[in-house]
Amino acid sequence: MSFDLDGLRTAVSRHGRVTRVVIAATHGSAPREVGAAMLVWQGGQSGTVGGGALEYELAGAARAQAAFTRLSRHALGPDMGQCCGGAVEVVSEVYDAARLAGLEGRDVIARPVTGGDDAPLAVRRRLARARDRGQLPVPQLIEGWMVEPVRPRAAPLWIWGAGHVGRALAATFGPLPDFHVTWADTGAARFPAVVPEGVTVWPAPNLPALVAHAPRDAHHLIVTYSHALDLALCHALLQHGFTSCGLIGSATKWARFRKRLGSLGHGPAEIARIDCPIGDPNLGKHPQAIAVGTATALLKTRQAPAARHQGTTA
């Protein structure tokens, strides 16, 4: 878990005043882990800290909160209609544009909750590791200070094609804070009337020409209605550059594409960077199953570097 600064920034820009509620510590069984957070504003909220009675109580308290920062402890069990039986400590912080500006440019957000303004030695050590050795700490409450690593900026993800699989991919990836989704197809009529939140639609008659507008560090998923268009996109992306590229298709389709891409001047190592087929074959070929398998693979790739750089809790 990490501090989603992009999500908080977006919420503050839309709603002005937002309370971020984060699980700071758990004791015994709890519905969510330390670092799980939700954002609450008048008339709405996003994210979850476990749902049920606890979340309802915390959301109500957040809307009524006057202090900038509040630490509270909540016992779980029969009194709250939950069977976890443990307890959680929760930090609730009110943010507006001015307070949000103080968080910019940080890899780790450490701030006093109940402690003084001088960071304890344990907190200073964790900040030093983050600065000098790239060892980001896990979220935790340390001697009255809440420490959380900042979530890396959302990775650009381009979905090419708005058919059944493209729609399933957009619906799956759109809500994920790890990705900023651009969804492209040859015309506006090919997209659904309601587009998933967090997805930018880009109709363009010439999709291969649109590749030039994609960041070179983007992830790509090619699922158009045309094999010829799929091939043209693979060719354009190999010329343009990408972080990863997945293509829907069978083994036969991919064998033909490898031969055609080779004749277009791409070497075997370049072509091998394209993953075909996408998804997990064990999940089947239903569009949602393909989307689930593809999302799982990309999330693992996205989160692996962060996991390697996590510091210890000691």
Side-chain angles (χ1 to χ4, degrees), residues 163-254:
H164 294 303
V165 175
R167 293 181 183 213
L169 288 168
T172 301
F173 280 100
L176 293 172
D178 300 81
F179 300 97
H180 177 75
V181 180
T182 300
W183 194 10
D185 209 325
T186 53
R190 293 194 56 80
F191 296 96
V194 179
V195 175
E197 185 176 356
V199 175
T200 300
V201 166
W202 198 333
N206 187 345
L207 288 186
L210 189 59
V211 166
H213 296 276
R216 296 184 189 276
D217 63 347
H219 301 270
H220 297 268
L221 297 171
I222 302 173
V223 291
T224 79
Y225 58 86
S226 163
H227 282 200
L229 190 51
D230 288 350
L231 180 65
L233 284 167
C234 288
H235 176 48
L237 284 168
L238 285 170
Q239 292 178 310
H240 179 71
F242 54 83
T243 291
S244 74
C245 180
L247 169 69
I248 194 168
S250 63
T252 300
K253 174 182 176 179
W254 184 226

Side-chain angles (χ1 to χ4, degrees), residues 51-179:
L54 173 65
E55 186 163 293
Y56 180 80
E57 178 180 304
L58 292 173
R63 293 189 179 96
Q65 183 171 326
F68 272 115
T69 302
R70 183 172 68 96
L71 175 65
S72 58
R73 182 183 174 100
H74 304 264
L76 307 171
D79 291 345
M80 196 171 279
Q82 294 183 309
C83 57
C84 295
V88 295
E89 294 179 60
V90 176
V91 172
S92 301
E93 298 167 297
V94 178
Y95 286 97
D96 55 18
R99 192 180 189 195
L100 180 63
L103 304 183
E104 300 293 350
R106 302 193 201 179
D107 292 328
V108 180
I109 295 176
R111 64 281 189 199
V113 176
T114 60
D117 291 336
D118 293 330
L121 177 60
V123 172
R124 297 200 303 271
R125 284 175 174 170
R126 281 159 178 77
L127 295 179
R129 289 173 187 165
R131 181 180 61 251
D132 300 334
R133 290 182 271 170
Q135 294 182 349
L136 297 180
V138 296
Q140 55 195 300
L141 185 64
I142 308 172
E143 299 179 28
W145 278 58
M146 189 66 197
V147 178
E148 296 176 83
V150 173
R151 181 190 295 275
R153 287 192 173 273
L157 170 67
W158 286 55
I159 300 172
W160 302 88
H164 294 303
V165 175
R167 293 181 183 213
L169 288 168
T172 301
F173 280 100
L176 293 172
D178 300 81
F179 300 97

